[in-house]
Amino acid sequence: MTLAERRGTRTGTSHGPVLLHPARAAYLCSGALAVVATTVAVLSLTLPSLLSGVEAAKGSLRGTALVMVCVAVPVLVVAMSLTARGSARGLVVWLGAAAYLLYQAVLFCFATPLNTLFLLYVAYLGLALWSLVTVLHAADLPAFGARLAPSMAVRWITGFALVLVLLNAGAWLVRIVPAVFSRNPASLLEGTGLLTNPVFVQDLAVWLPLLAAAALAGRRRASWGLLVTGAMLAMFVLEGIGVATDQWFGSRADPASGIASSSMVPVFAAVALIVAVPLACYLRNVDRDPHAAEGDDRDASSSR
């Protein structure tokens, strides 16, 4: 019996050996993240006078806050609970929810005019970042890989992820390139009240390259690549829900604004549904009994 198996037996996990060890720092960081992210979201919703900036941006922020408190944080907490019981699916969704919350933390820190909640935003950002770091550091990748079904449609799922990278990058670059090479590069930010766009920055510098690298590694069935690919599909589903909601709130706050449009609500809702398809296919092939294949092999050997 391996060390992971002994730990899983001691903790009485229902899905198999534990996938995080040591896990205390990961649970502490993500538990604190859930509390601080909820506080940030609730204050943004109930005390709108704390926010400043253009009306559409403030409306969008409130929409993001609503998704955080009603969807992302509950998903995070449930996923942590499932992971504690040995669920590999829980681990994937935990990482995806933490990544979504980190994405929003960057926007709270860098796309929200300075206000009295600034230090809370900084704490939120730090906890989101270190939640991801501690979970990834503690993840038992061989144990996770053993929980993936051989029948998983790896090439289709990772191919979808690569297409998602290309489409997202293309959507941003088709807007960025003409603007930055024009006489007025700042026209890219017109109506936003921002000095730069942290969505473009983090997508093109961090998230899309990470998903591309993970998907390419996942095509070779590398455990880390499949773990990160699944987590980022979960993140994109949450992001689709979040953007659809913040577009609705932003357009309601200022219907004439060019930075939020009610016409984009069904578009991003559709994005969330489309990405949910490969995510569901992925999750159906996770949490395979790591001993099932061994039993099948023994049965086949004895029959021979």
Side-chain angles (χ1 to χ4, degrees):
M1 183 179 287
T2 66
L3 175 60
E5 288 168 337
R6 288 198 297 272
R7 286 175 175 167
T9 301
R10 286 199 303 270
T11 56
T13 54
S14 58
H15 297 272
V18 293
L19 295 167
L20 295 179
H21 48 83
R24 178 174 297 179
Y27 283 100
L28 287 175
C29 281
S30 289
L33 168 62
V35 173
V36 173
T38 299
T39 303
V40 167
V42 169
L43 290 176
S44 298
L45 285 168
T46 59
L47 299 174
S49 60
L50 293 175
L51 307 176
S52 60
V54 300
E55 289 302 316
K58 290 192 291 183
S60 292
L61 186 145
R62 291 194 296 275
T64 297
L66 182 64
V67 173
M68 285 168 55
V69 75
C70 293
V71 182
V73 171
V75 167
L76 176 73
V77 173
V78 170
M80 290 169 60
S81 176
L82 291 173
T83 306
R85 293 162 51 195
S87 170
R89 292 176 185 170
L91 177 61
V92 172
V93 177
W94 180 353
L95 283 169
Y100 171 79
L101 290 171
L102 174 58
Y103 194 104
Q104 306 314 316
V106 172
L107 300 184
F108 273 95
C109 284
F110 297 103
T112 304
L114 194 68
N115 59 53
T116 55
L117 299 179
F118 174 70
L119 290 178
L120 196 59
Y121 296 162
V122 173
Y124 168 31
L125 176 61
L127 287 167
L129 175 61
W130 286 104
S131 290
L132 283 176
V133 170
T134 53
V135 173
L136 289 170
H137 174 71
D140 186 334
L141 292 177
F144 175 79
R147 306 281 279 281
L148 303 178
S151 58
M152 178 184 284
V154 166
R155 295 188 69 82
W156 179 76
I157 292 169
T158 56
F160 178 91
L162 290 171
V163 170
L164 195 61
V165 169
L166 292 174
L167 291 176
N168 199 336
W172 291 160
L173 291 174
V174 77
R175 294 177 56 189
I176 295 169
V177 172
V180 298
F181 287 103
S182 70
R183 292 185 177 182
N184 182 25
S187 62
L188 186 64
L189 303 171
E190 186 174 343
T192 66
L194 300 175
L195 296 177
T196 189
N197 191 321
V199 171
F200 295 156
V201 173
Q202 59 176 333
D203 278 2
L204 293 174
V206 180
W207 299 111
L208 297 180
L210 175 61
L211 180 55
L216 290 172
R219 290 178 80 81
R220 303 190 301 272
R221 294 195 70 93
S223 295
W224 80 266
L226 290 174
L227 174 59
V228 172
T229 298
M232 291 203 65
L233 289 176
M235 173 190 173
F236 268 87
V237 171
L238 291 171
E239 182 65 10
I241 296 169
V243 176
T245 305
D246 75 44
Q247 288 292 299
W248 188 85
F249 272 79
S251 64
R252 289 279 300 226
D254 183 2
S257 173
I259 65 174
S261 171
S262 58
S263 65
M264 299 306 294
V265 174
V267 173
F268 282 99
V271 168
L273 289 173
I274 290 168
V275 179
V277 173
L279 176 62
C281 178
Y282 175 101
L283 293 176
R284 275 201 307 269
N285 288 277
V286 180
D287 278 331
R288 179 179 67 93
D289 182 353
H291 304 299
E294 296 174 9
D296 292 344
D297 291 342
R298 285 195 297 270
D299 292 342
S301 298
S302 61
S303 65
R304 288 196 297 270

